[in-house]
Amino acid sequence: MDGPLTPRESAKFIAENSRDVFIDGRGVRRVAELLLAKVSGPELHLGGWKALHELNPRAADEAALNWVFVADTLNFSFWSEHDERKCLVGYRGKTYSGYWSLCAAVNRALDEGIPITSASYYATVTLDQVQHIFRSDTDVPMPLIEERHRILNETGKILLEKFEGSFLNCVRKSEKSAQKLMHLVVESFPSYRDVTQFEGKRISFYKRAQILVADTWSVLEGKGDGCFKDISSITMFADYRLPQVLVHLGALNYSKELLEKLLKGEMLSYGDRQEVEIRGCSLWCVELIRDCLLELIEKKGEKTSGEINSVLLDYYLWDYARDHREDMKGIPFHHTRCIYY
Ligand SMILES: Nc1nc2c(c(CN[C@H]3C=C[C@H](O)[C@@H]3O)cn2[C@@H]2O[C@H](COP(=O)(O)O)[C@@H](O)[C@H]2O)c(=O)[nH]1
């Protein structure tokens, strides 16, 4: 049986058949113009991954890669039912929420001498130990903690069996191809298989596999084993924050019926038609924004600080969403509880 459509093909197909989510061409252009002003700055540059984020590793070595692998293996579902009651992790004098609470907990564990980024440790780590490592400063635990425990054991065992316990060996097997690495990760590690159905077709988003490739490229600073010649083939990562910021910026719209559902905080299940439309149209929207931005750069002869691709646009828009949380309060994000994003 042939595989699912690629994320890019899936997104195009979904956008062409979507009933409740719509891309706004004028909004796409407005976002591209917003980004045009940033193309020569640090935010739309590979170096921003380290320069702008104090919890990310500084190094570009095997240990840093294994840090990225654990972080992206657990990089899912941080949202809480009530925003005022959520998991928080204090680390080195700062308090972190959401994805950053995961990174803070990993760094806190390493500081405490717990080798949480070593496969030989997390392949057999117990649920009690995982609950301690990812403990919250509030009475709200990190969501899906049992799933995180199961996935750590499963992933650690496979990394030991197939890649001598180091993600560097997985990267080296992909021979500097982003696509080969993405597919090797999806084939080897079940929790990365972000695949579902839409209108009778098998589609893929591979959100965590794609962000793992992107973070590998970033942590290795695009050099050596991380010099992916095809990094531009990686699309944005279909999570629950990007749709929210794209609606906020006017590039994406929801039908009245869907917006009402989201405003009520109704759950959508992984693979539901509307959930797939939100993820697919967001992905396609970012592809259109990237095309428009590259046209504007060409037309205006703008100097860029390196190649502009969907990975960098995604990172920028995700950071923008974190920095504009207050302004975006009125825009709902979809509530899906799953291990894929
Ligand atoms: N599209 C996209 N989704 C991303 C990321 C990240 C963090 N990655 C990079 C960002 C900085 C570092 O440089 C990391 O490399 C997390 N997420 C997703 O967001 C959700 C968590 O959101 P909140 O609850 O607000 O923390 C959850 O689904 C999580 O999977 C990204 O970059 N793009």
Side-chain angles (χ1 to χ4, degrees):
M1 179 167 73
D2 37 322
L5 294 178
T6 67
R8 190 176 148 81
E9 291 164 344
S10 302
K12 185 170 191 296
F13 175 64
I14 293 160
E16 287 165 352
N17 293 279
S18 178
R19 296 187 203 140
D20 284 293
V21 185
F22 314 102
I23 294 170
D24 181 316
R26 284 189 314 284
V28 163
R29 178 152 185 111
R30 260 200 315 278
V31 176
E33 285 162 357
L34 166 82
L35 292 167
L36 183 63
K38 304 282 180 185
V39 291
S40 52
E43 298 105 324
L44 276 174
H45 183 264
L46 172 56
W49 193 86
K50 289 181 179 175
L52 304 174
H53 300 299
E54 72 268 9
L55 294 178
N56 284 342
R58 308 296 92 190
D61 57 12
E62 182 168 21
L65 256 187
N66 283 318
W67 185 100
V68 160
F69 183 60
V70 162
D72 282 328
T73 294
L74 298 175
N75 186 359
F76 55 84
S77 211
F78 300 104
W79 58 269
S80 57
E81 278 75 12
H82 308 286
D83 199 44
E84 63 285 356
R85 293 191 63 248
K86 60 188 168 188
C87 168
L88 295 174
V89 173
Y91 179 67
R92 293 194 175 167
K94 262 185 88 173
T95 299
Y96 297 91
S97 65
Y99 167 75
W100 290 124
S101 69
L102 172 80
C103 297
V106 167
N107 291 351
R108 177 178 61 185
L110 292 171
D111 288 0
E112 292 169 352
I114 300 170
I116 183 60
T117 55
S118 302
S120 51
Y121 175 79
Y122 60 81
T124 56
V125 68
T126 64
L127 176 57
D128 278 354
Q129 289 169 324
V130 167
Q131 287 169 328
H132 173 71
I133 289 163
F134 296 103
R135 64 192 182 280
S136 167
D137 295 353
T138 68
D139 59 356
V140 182
M142 190 174 287
L144 297 182
I145 200 72
E146 290 83 4
E147 278 293 61
R148 294 181 203 274
H149 170 240
R150 182 189 65 74
I151 288 170
L152 278 173
N153 286 169
E154 174 186 88
T155 307
K157 288 187 178 81
I158 294 168
L159 197 67
L160 288 168
E161 280 156 23
K162 293 192 171 178
F163 304 102
E164 301 87 53
S166 177
F167 184 58
L168 175 59
N169 297 324
C170 191
V171 174
R172 286 192 167 146
K173 281 205 168 74
S174 62
E175 295 158 344
K176 303 188 183 184
S177 160
Q179 288 301 316
K180 274 197 189 151
L181 180 56
M182 183 180 79
H183 287 290
L184 182 57
V185 166
V186 167
E187 279 143 33
S188 309
F189 303 101
S191 81
Y192 280 85
R193 293 175 194 155
D194 182 3
V195 178
T196 185
Q197 300 270 350
F198 181 78
E199 294 271 348
K201 285 187 193 283
R202 285 183 74 229
I203 56 148
S204 66
F205 291 115
Y206 294 151
K207 184 262 172 194
R208 289 202 285 110
Q210 292 209 94
I211 201 168
L212 174 57
V213 172
D215 287 351
T216 298
W217 178 61
S218 298
V219 80
L220 295 179
E221 300 167 12
K223 294 179 221 146
D225 296 307
C227 181
F228 297 128
K229 48 194 178 301
D230 57 341
I231 189 67
S232 285
S233 67
I234 296 292
T235 72
M236 72 72 110
F237 323 119
D239 73 320
Y240 54 83
R241 284 293 172 214
L242 263 277
Q244 188 185 23
V245 72
L246 291 170
V247 170
H248 169 69
L249 293 171
L252 204 66
N253 294 309
Y254 296 145
S255 69
K256 190 168 165 299
E257 186 249 339
L258 177 55
L259 185 58
E260 273 163 21
K261 198 183 261 192
L262 297 182
L263 284 167
K264 277 191 269 180
E266 269 185 48
M267 294 277 279
L268 297 183
S269 299
Y270 179 83
D272 275 358
R273 180 182 181 95
Q274 290 176 328
E275 186 252 2
V276 172
E277 289 186 6
I278 291 171
R279 298 182 80 196
C281 291
S282 300
L283 198 157
W284 193 242
C285 185
V286 173
E287 292 297 284
L288 296 177
I289 290 168
R290 188 218 40 218
D291 293 347
C292 186
L293 176 59
L294 291 175
E295 249 174 65
L296 288 172
I297 290 169
E298 181 74 27
K299 219 183 284 173
K300 312 236 163 140
E302 279 288 328
K303 282 273 150 291
T304 63
S305 52
E307 174 196 34
I308 297 293
N309 56 40
S310 293
V311 166
L312 296 175
L313 296 195
D314 178 288
Y315 282 162
Y316 177 83
L317 290 167
W318 191 82
D319 286 337
Y320 183 99
R322 294 287 298 193
D323 299 343
H324 294 78
R325 193 51 54 89
E326 271 314 298
D327 310 344
M328 290 180 10
K329 245 185 165 29
I331 311 279
F333 61 88
H334 69 283
H335 287 179
T336 295
R337 197 59 89 193
C338 72
I339 63 167
Y340 298 107
Y341 65 97

